[in-house]
Amino acid sequence: MEPLFGVVLGLMLAVASPAHDSCTCATNKWAVCAQDGPGNCTCRLAGSHHPVDCSTLTSKCFLMKAEMIPLREKRLWRPPQAVSDSDGMYDPDCEDSGVFKARQCNQPGSCWCVNTAGVRRSDRGGSSLRCGELVRTRWICIELTHKRSSGAFAVPAVAEALTRLLESRYKLHPKYIAAIKYEPPLIQIRLEQSKKPSWDVDIADVAYYFEKDVNNDSVFPSNSKLSVSVNGDALAIEKLGIYYVDEKPPEFSMRQLAAGIGAVVTVVLLTAGIGVAVLLVLRWLRTRTYKKFECKEMREIKAPSLE
């Protein structure tokens, strides 16, 4: 009886294992998935009650929260990292829909306003700071450079490859790709999205996923690596920069702007001063050389003979 029971149990485990292994999230490695019925897999973000739609991208706000989960809750995942911006690490406040709340705080008495990309657009203030609305990031400019290759890439081929990448890997509709410009080795990708229907991904989420891919910290499972191919040749991305343009100008105080302008003026004055000093030195050297030459010519003139 016992050998028969062991065989039956082994068959049950063999059938159950593939079903369990197939219950994963294709767009979020931090999602915790469980089979709650035949052919039905439910995924939720680690440390959160929010469900994850694995057919599209997870919102940037939810991803940032997942990155802030302590290592003991992540189990075998890599330790949490600081958010790579000038404001340091903070745990964002998200709406149930996944968008950022207009006001963010990382400690008591330190709050600021953000845009839909979660980027700070105001000075820091106290807990009494009010952010009237969540300002939409309408434009995102992605600048990247690639490593040298054996042959030159054609401009149309690069644009086609990146458009295909954004559409297939990041679920972005081509209508949101405003332009792709290529001047080797610099590539500029401009994304525009004034309004976001519920069925489309947000360009801020696309930019965040892309940034994580380039920095070898992909949100996708480990078996899904970033690969960009232009007519069969690999496009190896080397450097990346992302710039955000909101529908409304940022609300930084004039004091901060004045400090920035003062720094620029200082640099300009220093540069001008160095330039003037170089010109004076060159002029002095030229005058000195001329005098030496003149003296030499004068020495070569002989006195007239009296014979």
Side-chain angles (χ1 to χ4, degrees):
M1 184 68 180
E2 291 183 0
L4 179 61
F5 175 76
V7 172
V8 173
L9 179 61
L11 290 173
M12 292 176 63
L13 291 174
V15 172
S17 295
H20 178 73
D21 292 341
S22 63
C23 189
T24 57
C25 187
T27 58
N28 192 333
K29 68 181 181 182
W30 293 317
V32 178
C33 303
Q35 198 117 19
D36 54 4
N40 189 22
C41 182
T42 301
C43 298
R44 298 184 181 278
L45 199 61
S48 171
H49 65 281
H50 294 288
V52 175
D53 182 1
C54 295
S55 65
T56 187
L57 305 186
T58 305
S59 71
K60 180 181 178 180
C61 193
F62 282 164
L63 290 177
M64 288 175 61
K65 290 191 74 68
E67 290 181 279
M68 298 299 298
I69 298 172
L71 179 61
R72 64 178 181 274
E73 296 185 16
K74 282 193 172 185
R75 297 178 183 176
L76 298 180
W77 291 314
R78 60 183 298 179
Q81 294 181 339
V83 180
S84 57
D85 62 15
S86 59
D87 296 317
M89 183 172 58
Y90 73 97
D91 187 6
D93 290 328
C94 311
E95 303 285 358
D96 290 338
S97 60
V99 301
F100 288 90
K101 290 187 177 181
R103 191 185 77 157
Q104 298 291 329
C105 304
N106 65 348
Q107 59 185 0
S110 181
C111 302
W112 63 92
C113 303
V114 300
N115 55 21
T116 52
V119 178
R120 184 162 67 92
R121 49 173 282 110
S122 74
D123 293 328
R124 290 178 176 271
S127 56
S128 61
L129 176 69
R130 295 291 177 264
C131 303
E133 60 177 327
L134 181 66
V135 178
R136 176 149 194 83
T137 298
R138 180 175 180 177
W139 292 86
I140 292 182
C141 181
I142 303 174
E143 290 189 352
L144 56 96
T145 58
H146 64 81
K147 297 180 180 178
R148 293 184 178 274
S149 59
S150 56
F153 296 113
V155 175
V158 171
E160 181 182 355
L162 291 174
T163 299
R164 186 169 59 250
L165 173 74
L166 293 170
E167 185 176 8
S168 61
R169 185 172 178 85
Y170 305 110
K171 320 298 180 185
L172 182 67
H173 196 285
K175 66 182 179 182
Y176 298 124
I177 305 175
I180 297 179
K181 297 183 178 181
Y182 177 45
E183 294 182 2
L186 176 65
I187 302 175
Q188 290 182 326
I189 305 172
R190 292 203 324 177
L191 307 179
E192 181 185 12
Q193 190 179 54
S194 56
K195 294 182 180 179
K196 190 196 82 65
S198 58
W199 55 84
D200 283 335
V201 298
D202 196 301
I203 57 174
D205 301 337
V206 172
Y208 193 66
Y209 266 78
F210 187 61
E211 180 182 12
K212 303 288 280 185
D213 272 341
V214 173
N215 293 333
N216 295 318
D217 188 24
S218 179
V219 181
F220 293 100
S222 58
N223 61 350
S224 178
K225 300 277 187 184
L226 174 65
S227 177
V228 186
S229 176
V230 180
N231 291 336
D233 295 327
L235 182 72
I237 299 173
E238 195 169 26
K239 295 181 181 179
L240 175 72
I242 301 178
Y243 306 92
Y244 306 87
V245 180
D246 297 342
E247 289 183 338
K248 296 182 179 181
E251 301 173 354
F252 294 107
S253 65
M254 291 303 296
R255 180 177 58 184
Q256 182 171 349
L257 293 175
I261 294 173
V264 172
V265 171
T266 301
V267 172
V268 171
L269 290 176
L270 286 174
T271 305
I274 293 173
V276 171
V278 170
L279 289 174
L280 291 175
V281 170
L282 291 175
R283 183 178 179 182
W284 176 77
L285 289 174
R286 187 167 58 249
T287 305
R288 185 167 175 262
T289 303
Y290 173 76
K291 287 181 177 180
K292 285 186 176 180
F293 177 77
E294 185 179 25
C295 292
K296 181 179 179 182
E297 292 294 330
M298 291 296 292
R299 284 195 300 271
E300 290 178 353
I301 298 176
K302 296 181 179 180
S305 178
L306 298 178
E307 295 178 0

